[in-house]
Amino acid sequence: MTIAPLDTLDFDGEPFDVLAWSLALEPAAGPAPQPPTAPAAPPRNGSVPATQPSTVPVPATPTAAAPVADSPADPIAALLREVRSELVTAHLSALEVQTAWQRRALETLGHHDPGARASVPAPAARPEQSFEVVLDYTTRAGLTVSAAPGHPVVHELPPPATTMNAFKFLARTPITALDATALAALGRGEVAAVFGPAYDQEGVNPDIRLTDGTCARLTEVLEIAGRGGPWARGRLRATCRIDGPDPVTAATELTWQAAQVLAVRAGLQLCLAGARFQAGEPFEAILSAPMTGPAELIADVVQIDLLPRPWLRINAEIRCAGEVVARVHGLTLVVAEEPGLPIGPDAGGAIPRFLGRRNVFGQRALLGEFHMTHSARGDLGIALGPEFSAYAGRRATRMPNHGLQLCDRVMAVDGRRGQLGAGSAHTEYDSPADSWYYAESANASMPNIVYMETSLQSALLLGYFLGATLTSPQEDFSLRNLDGSATVLREVDLRDKTIQQTSRLTDTTVLAGAVLQTFTYELAVDGEPFYAGESLFGFFNGPALANQNGLDNGEFVPTWLDAQEQRPDVRVIDVAARRAAGTGMPCAVGHLAMLDRIETVDGAGAFGLGYLRATRAVRGDDWFFGYHFYLDPVMPGSLGVEAVIQAMQEWTVATGLAAELVAPEFVLPVGVALSWRYRGQILAEDELMTLEAHIKSVERRPGRIRVIADASVWKPGMRIYELLDVAVELRDAGAQPW
């Protein structure tokens, strides 16, 4: 890190204690008070001592020692005392100046004030001691703690996780507490025996085990909350035992063990074969009271991610007898690969070895969540092979990220890079029951946007992996979906299910500035298909992308309502008001709430059964631009389809169709082939999206009502989406399939 030049004071060599030096020269005058000791600072070159550093005396408080009565018979001692007093005053003044300058430097950098961190303050009667701590742990055999009094290590604190950017655990388990037996099993590396078979790597990671403490150890984990803590990224609460005399080492060991348990619980080690725990950057330990005997620890995950390697950072607080005795800020644990072993595909997409990830069924994956995350917002060379490393920092085809990243693993690929005529891939997506889209959708199960996105992402990944953009590697290609048709084959609840995706590349056409690819795809769960479709994708360079002229060859076609010579009576559905009141059928909320107001005309439209029109303001800070795609922000076409579906659901409720059923809920209709054409996209600068839907049928069966419509979507001045046979359905609980 480089900062603006500042006048600073630097002290080189051993810390100078003028009191100790001058008292050593004075004649003995009775016992002198002994100052407390603290670990010495690490060497200035940044190396970590191999053993615990020796201690040197430091002043207990920034005040001069109590005066000693002058002895007229000893003028040398009086002179020494005078010199000592002047040196102490100068030394403390320099420390005050240095502290002020350092605070100014931190403010210049925009760092948080260390004193303003949210934590339980230490009792005023016991002054805190802050230590910069370096932890070295690369193998089971070595854990070295190097601590020195110094300036706080400040880490930027992120905002709490949201439903959209929450970290998705790589494995699921019902285990939320660990007794002494379970902790002992983790110490032996028996992760699957503790958390379940989803954590089994069949001995791939022998170094992933709970560290034994020399000064302290966890005795029981009382709670592991995956979304707990102030950052909503995880919390661990445990009892522990402190036996050693070194409080810094004890606090570090307990926090490190907590980080290991949290990392293993999240499944970070499942990303890499031969993985091992590795310490991150320095952190801060603050001691405020003696540490001994039984204690309680609370550790909160501040950050967790898979880039550039799986890692997490935690803050911890340790209590003895109900009193805070230590706090640890910013301890970072990294899951690193075994040195020298490949962690991604070789040239040509060849997988050089088993990379460590297995699915819930124990089958080996070619690529896992680690690679998919790199394909979304990391190093494309790690994700797909060295040919893609040249795209670093460029606009390139990428997977959506965070909550819109809906493909987890590549299980198999049938095809060779550079041979674009045909190929197939089997991929998977785990759909946890606490996923954002279940809570935010009006559907009883997964909303249509996820059906579309998870199938289309699997297909685009196949085409990209086989090398569609490598036909012109100098170009910066953007990916756009163009056409498609898909059908729900059966109703299924996908909560906590693994969706198996099969994609087949059927055709590739290479043009100047564009590559077009056609795919068929199928989604299955528990071995049974539930969704199938086909789609056309285009990879476009900048000039080709800018040349889109919409669905009507550049002509502006108004909505049906705007084209009427005499404006008909319009009925307004105030979606925002009903959402705020929480009345009636559940409507989409959160990220999926696409509409606030819908205009309807009864008995009108292209089919005379009803007409809907709605608009949505588009802003540069809309959530989807940050998730789709990295360096190429665009609203997903599937989200435009979702907005049309929401308008139809609101119309269905507003016209009273839901009142015909006892306990109605929305489902995706089975057997209706939804078709779409996209000839443009919603960008941040477009400011407004307009949609309309023409109701073409309302059908009833026992316990069910189905509504089908055709629809269009506009950006300013251009119609860009055409949707045929968009369908919504209400069903009563227990109603027979359609």
Side-chain angles (χ1 to χ4, degrees):
M1 177 180 296
T2 301
I3 65 174
L6 291 172
D7 294 328
T8 60
L9 290 178
D10 192 18
F11 296 94
D12 199 1
E14 292 295 323
F16 174 62
D17 185 344
V18 65
L19 298 178
W21 174 79
S22 59
L23 287 172
L25 297 179
E26 289 186 359
Q34 296 298 314
T37 60
R44 290 178 56 82
N45 63 8
S47 62
V48 179
T51 61
Q52 185 71 16
S54 60
T55 60
V56 296
V58 298
T61 60
T63 59
V68 180
D70 289 340
S71 171
D74 192 355
I76 296 177
L79 178 62
L80 285 174
R81 280 192 292 273
E82 183 178 348
V83 172
R84 178 188 64 188
S85 178
E86 294 295 330
L87 286 173
V88 168
T89 301
H91 183 67
L92 295 177
S93 297
L95 286 176
E96 290 177 1
V97 172
Q98 184 184 29
T99 300
W101 277 336
Q102 286 165 340
R103 285 175 178 167
R104 193 181 81 182
L106 289 175
E107 291 171 358
T108 302
L109 291 170
H111 285 193
H112 296 286
D113 181 358
R117 279 186 294 258
S119 59
V120 179
R126 291 194 175 105
E128 292 182 341
Q129 293 179 288
S130 178
F131 299 88
E132 179 179 328
V133 182
V134 177
L135 173 64
D136 181 24
Y137 177 68
T138 54
T139 67
R140 283 198 69 211
L143 187 153
T144 301
V145 178
S146 174
H151 313 299
V153 178
V154 181
H155 297 286
E156 194 72 26
L157 298 180
T162 67
T163 57
M164 182 58 67
N165 68 16
F167 182 80
K168 178 181 169 183
F169 288 5
L170 276 70
R172 315 288 289 182
T173 179
I175 304 300
T176 59
L178 305 172
D179 59 16
T181 300
L183 289 172
L186 289 181
R188 297 189 296 271
E190 299 170 2
V191 178
V194 174
F195 288 117
Y199 291 79
D200 188 9
Q201 286 191 299
E202 296 183 4
V204 170
N205 293 334
D207 290 325
I208 299 298
R209 60 189 68 211
L210 191 63
T211 305
D212 295 329
T214 59
C215 293
R217 58 186 174 85
L218 300 181
T219 55
E220 182 179 7
V221 175
L222 305 175
E223 178 188 21
I224 307 175
R227 297 286 181 261
W231 290 275
R233 292 182 171 91
R235 164 168 280 194
L236 179 145
R237 188 167 56 89
T239 60
C240 39
R241 180 82 189 175
I242 301 170
D243 297 315
D246 184 347
V248 176
T249 298
T252 298
E253 288 181 341
L254 291 176
T255 307
W256 181 249
Q257 291 171 26
Q260 290 176 315
V261 173
L262 286 164
V264 169
R265 168 67 177 80
L268 298 186
Q269 76 283 356
L270 301 176
C271 289
L272 301 167
R276 58 191 61 206
F277 292 135
Q278 181 174 300
E281 60 236 58
F283 56 96
E284 182 187 21
I286 301 173
L287 307 180
S288 55
M291 295 175 58
T292 183
E296 181 184 32
L297 175 141
I298 297 177
D300 293 314
V301 179
V302 179
Q303 291 174 286
I304 181 170
D305 202 355
L306 299 182
L307 302 182
R309 298 295 185 271
W311 67 282
L312 57 76
R313 176 177 292 135
I314 68 173
N315 288 354
E317 186 176 85
I318 301 170
R319 295 171 176 261
C320 290
E323 180 181 5
V324 176
V325 296
R327 285 167 287 159
V328 173
H329 294 149
L331 184 144
T332 303
L333 178 149
V334 180
V335 177
E337 71 274 12
E338 186 175 341
L341 292 181
I343 59 173
D346 285 342
I351 307 300
R353 66 180 186 117
F354 173 46
L355 299 177
R357 186 63 170 123
R358 295 180 184 271
N359 65 7
V360 69
F361 311 109
Q363 300 164 328
R364 290 186 172 190
L366 297 182
L367 304 172
E369 291 89 338
F370 172 66
H371 305 93
M372 296 300 97
T373 304
H374 271 286
S375 76
R377 49 190 175 91
D379 185 343
L380 286 168
I382 290 176
L384 302 172
E387 302 97 315
F388 292 86
S389 295
Y391 289 118
R394 295 164 52 186
R395 188 194 73 207
T397 300
R398 288 183 175 271
M399 297 284 282
N401 61 72
H402 289 299
L404 277 183
Q405 183 180 322
L406 302 173
C407 183
D408 289 334
R409 293 173 295 279
V410 177
M411 300 303 298
V413 174
D414 182 9
R416 298 186 63 183
R417 181 160 295 170
Q419 297 181 2
L420 302 176
S424 64
H426 299 281
T427 60
E428 292 183 341
Y429 170 66
D430 298 327
S431 181
D434 61 357
S435 297
W436 63 275
Y437 44 80
Y438 288 119
E440 298 183 1
S441 171
N443 281 38
S445 185
M446 182 181 283
N448 181 77
I449 180 178
V450 183
Y451 275 74
M452 292 184 70
E453 281 294 320
T454 191
S455 55
L456 295 174
Q457 288 178 30
S458 174
L460 76 87
L461 183 63
L462 169 62
Y464 198 34
F465 182 85
L466 292 179
T469 63
L470 298 180
T471 56
S472 299
Q474 75 282 359
E475 297 280 9
D476 290 342
F477 283 108
S478 291
L479 176 78
R480 298 294 184 263
N481 187 221
L482 299 175
D483 299 328
S485 177
T487 305
V488 177
L489 305 178
R490 63 187 178 98
E491 289 181 12
V492 59
D493 189 347
L494 296 166
R495 290 174 176 84
D496 284 333
K497 296 289 188 179
T498 294
I499 298 173
Q500 299 157 316
Q501 306 148 321
T502 301
S503 302
R504 295 179 177 86
L505 173 63
T506 59
D507 183 68
T508 299
T509 302
V510 180
L511 305 171
V515 179
L516 305 180
Q517 292 191 311
T518 304
F519 298 87
T520 63
Y521 47 82
E522 180 181 88
L523 304 183
V525 66
D526 298 329
E528 292 292 328
F530 66 89
Y531 187 73
E534 58 185 14
S535 197
L536 170 66
F537 285 94
F539 298 87
F540 299 100
N541 67 7
L545 196 63
N547 198 36
Q548 296 180 95
N549 57 6
L551 288 163
D552 304 300
N553 295 319
E555 296 184 13
F556 175 69
V557 174
T559 66
W560 176 89
L561 185 59
D562 291 332
Q564 302 308 301
E565 293 183 4
Q566 183 175 355
R567 186 174 178 83
D569 293 334
V570 173
R571 178 167 54 91
V572 174
I573 303 174
D574 193 339
V575 180
R578 193 161 66 78
R579 185 187 299 124
T583 59
M585 286 285 294
C587 56
V589 296
H591 301 87
L592 282 182
M594 294 294 292
L595 306 173
D596 291 331
R597 185 175 182 273
I598 304 169
E599 297 175 301
T600 72
V601 182
D602 296 330
F607 307 100
L609 294 178
Y611 172 83
L612 326 175
R613 188 182 73 166
T615 59
R616 185 192 192 280
V618 176
R619 304 182 313 187
D621 61 353
D622 274 323
W623 66 270
F624 40 80
F625 290 130
Y627 295 86
H628 186 274
F629 302 98
Y630 177 67
L631 298 182
D632 184 22
V634 57
M635 189 184 87
S638 57
L639 195 55
V641 177
E642 191 68 27
V644 171
I645 290 174
Q646 289 177 26
M648 293 174 61
Q649 289 175 332
E650 295 290 348
W651 179 87
T652 301
V653 173
T655 54
L657 294 176
E660 300 180 20
L661 304 177
V662 177
E665 59 185 6
F666 282 109
V667 295
L668 294 184
V670 172
V672 181
L674 166 65
S675 299
W676 62 90
R677 285 201 302 151
Y678 302 149
R679 292 299 183 270
Q681 56 274 316
I682 301 292
L683 304 175
E685 60 266 25
D686 286 329
E687 297 186 350
L688 187 71
M689 177 184 74
T690 302
L691 64 85
E692 71 174 10
H694 300 262
I695 306 299
K696 62 193 297 187
S697 70
V698 178
E699 305 175 46
R700 292 173 172 84
R701 291 193 182 180
R704 293 181 180 268
I705 298 172
R706 177 178 289 185
V707 178
I708 301 177
D710 291 345
S712 294
V713 175
W714 280 257
K715 64 189 297 180
M718 185 183 297
R719 188 170 71 101
I720 56 173
Y721 301 171
E722 181 179 68
L723 313 174
L724 303 179
D725 292 333
V726 187
V728 300
E729 187 170 320
L730 283 167
R731 75 170 182 197
D732 258 338
Q736 293 298 310
W738 190 272

